[in-house]
Amino acid sequence: MDISLENKDALNAVVKVDIAKEDYSEKVDGVLNNYRKTANIPGFRKGMVPKGMIKKQYGQAVLVDEVNRLLQDSLNNYIAEQKLDILGNPLPVQQDNFDWNAENYSFEFELGLAPEFELSLDNKEPITHYIVTADEEMIDNQVKMIQKQYGKIVSQNEVKEGYTIEGVFHNEEEGIEHNTSFNIDEVDGKTNAKQILGAKTGEQVTVKTNKLFKDDETLASKLGVDAEKAEDLKVELTLTINEINENIPAELNQELFDKYFGEGEITSEKEMREKIAKDSEQTFAQQGDQQLLNDITEHLIGSVDFELPSEFLVKWLQTQGEQKMTEEEAREEFENSKKGLKYQLIEGKIIKANDLEVSQEDLKSMAIDRIKAQMAQFGQANLPDDQLEDIAMRVLSNQDEARKMAEQAMSQKLLDFYKEKMNLKEEKVTYKEFIDKVYK
């Protein structure tokens, strides 16, 4: 067997594999001999079928299988031995006049090569790392949410501010007849709110779809129509009020603290607010870190300029998946994924250059931390270490879960590396400020 490489340019190459009869004949004969021992053919005793008959019936199929197996193994070994950094998979070059009846065969494969590039982590302009803090307004809202969650519902007879209404919206011409529930505070327009406030159980009031709720999506949901219809809907509705309820918030006392946080964990409103702030900021820290990783990714992609073997990758994409892509679809897919592919190459270079790796212990530790957090939600915060480890190993035995965790663990290692090596600046912001800066 002979394998050779021809570089077309810096990003494209062709591998040629020449296979001679002596490379495969022994394997083919071995398979055919096994077939002969087990073949059941009428008129012949088992194991006594003439070899010529076995070869005539199965010879070419066995030959094709063995040559393809030999070809794939030798190609993979060659790529590994030559340390070729390829993108996608080798693509076979089509041969119009290929003849399996010949004794010697030649195959060619196109390769897309990863580009070589230099990468620097010395960013002169610092990248912002947002440290999101919990402000008083956010804590107030969270306290009110907890009070409402553990409060009680009291039936009332007359609609007042803050009350919840159960009823039916009706408009015969538009085919609307929908049971709904909403809080009077959700009503957007003053005219509509005025119509509903003061109404009693069993009464009907007339409202208009215009400014009934804050947006078309909410209107569609409350009326049971699709969003497109809600967008253009300008009609009057009859609202039949079937039930009026008041949500009386729970008192801020030890009973509430124990229900929400666990018995004895919190003993005062001050501790409650501190706990809410701490827990919120831990969650915000994850969002801040994710945004930092996004911003660093964008910076790194923009800091290097290299080409990809685009024509090869378009052809390779056409071979992927159960439903084959057209060339146009493959080009669109390539353009959409080009930025992600560039970052994979950058990330791979950083990982290799700095010996970053995820160990089995890293994965086990991550799995145990997640299990602890999940168990704590159900009041089981003190599971023995041996039970935690047993559950973690069962989780990691699922290959998909293990792969996802490995990717997340590597992202964390990269983030820690960037924090240490790159020029960053911290900026403390409230959650609202964070949303405004990042998403608007």
Side-chain angles (χ1 to χ4, degrees), residues 169-382:
F169 280 120
H170 173 79
N171 182 290
E172 187 173 353
E173 289 183 2
E174 296 293 338
I176 296 171
E177 186 78 20
H178 189 67
N179 289 293
T180 191
S181 173
F182 63 94
N183 191 290
I184 184 62
D185 296 342
E186 292 182 82
V187 176
D188 190 45
K190 291 181 180 179
T191 301
N192 284 324
K194 187 176 179 181
Q195 289 291 100
I196 300 171
L197 283 167
K200 294 180 170 53
T201 304
E203 289 185 351
Q204 290 187 337
V205 296
T206 300
V207 294
K208 295 180 179 180
T209 54
N210 185 39
K211 291 191 176 181
L212 183 54
F213 296 107
K214 62 180 180 179
D215 53 47
D216 293 331
E217 289 78 12
T218 305
L219 179 65
S221 172
K222 302 300 183 184
L223 300 186
V225 300
D226 59 48
E228 187 175 343
K229 180 172 182 176
E231 188 177 344
D232 300 319
L233 198 60
K234 305 290 186 228
V235 297
E236 286 190 344
L237 300 164
T238 299
L239 170 63
T240 302
I241 300 174
N242 294 330
E243 191 176 323
I244 302 168
N245 293 309
E246 178 185 8
N247 185 307
I248 299 178
E251 292 185 22
L252 292 175
N253 55 26
Q254 194 61 47
E255 181 183 1
L256 175 63
F257 303 151
D258 289 346
K259 282 181 180 178
Y260 190 77
F261 296 102
E263 190 170 349
E265 292 293 321
I266 299 296
T267 60
S268 67
E269 182 181 348
K270 180 175 180 291
E271 289 182 9
M272 177 188 191
R273 297 177 70 85
E274 289 172 350
K275 174 67 171 170
I276 289 172
K278 181 181 177 181
D279 290 349
S280 297
E281 287 175 0
Q282 286 178 344
T283 301
F284 295 157
Q286 296 173 9
Q287 295 184 48
D289 279 352
Q290 184 57 56
Q291 186 57 42
L292 175 61
L293 187 59
N294 293 346
D295 290 341
I296 289 174
T297 299
E298 289 293 331
H299 165 77
L300 291 174
I301 291 172
S303 69
V304 292
D305 185 23
F306 57 80
E307 295 298 319
L308 296 169
S310 55
E311 292 304 314
F312 169 84
L313 289 171
V314 168
K315 285 203 293 187
W316 174 72
L317 284 169
Q318 288 181 267
T319 69
Q320 302 305 295
E322 294 181 4
Q323 291 186 337
K324 304 304 181 188
M325 295 184 188
T326 65
E327 182 179 344
E328 184 179 354
E329 290 170 336
R331 287 192 184 281
E332 183 178 355
E333 178 67 19
F334 171 69
E335 290 300 323
N336 292 336
S337 60
K338 186 160 58 174
K339 182 182 285 189
L341 180 55
K342 282 191 172 186
Y343 181 65
Q344 285 180 24
L345 292 170
I346 293 169
E347 186 182 79
K349 192 177 186 74
I350 293 171
I351 290 170
K352 185 176 180 180
N354 296 280
D355 297 321
L356 302 180
E357 61 179 23
V358 175
S359 67
Q360 188 65 22
E361 283 302 310
D362 291 330
L363 292 180
K364 188 168 75 171
S365 177
M366 174 182 279
I368 288 173
D369 287 344
R370 292 187 178 182
I371 293 162
K372 283 181 177 178
Q374 290 172 356
M375 291 297 106
Q377 292 178 0
F378 298 99
Q380 299 179 8
N382 297 307

Side-chain angles (χ1 to χ4, degrees), residues 414-430:
L414 282 164
L415 182 60
D416 293 340
F417 174 78
Y418 295 147
K419 286 181 178 179
E420 180 184 347
K421 299 295 184 181
M422 298 188 70
N423 180 15
L424 308 178
K425 66 173 182 180
E426 290 188 354
E427 182 179 338
K428 289 189 174 183
V429 292
T430 65

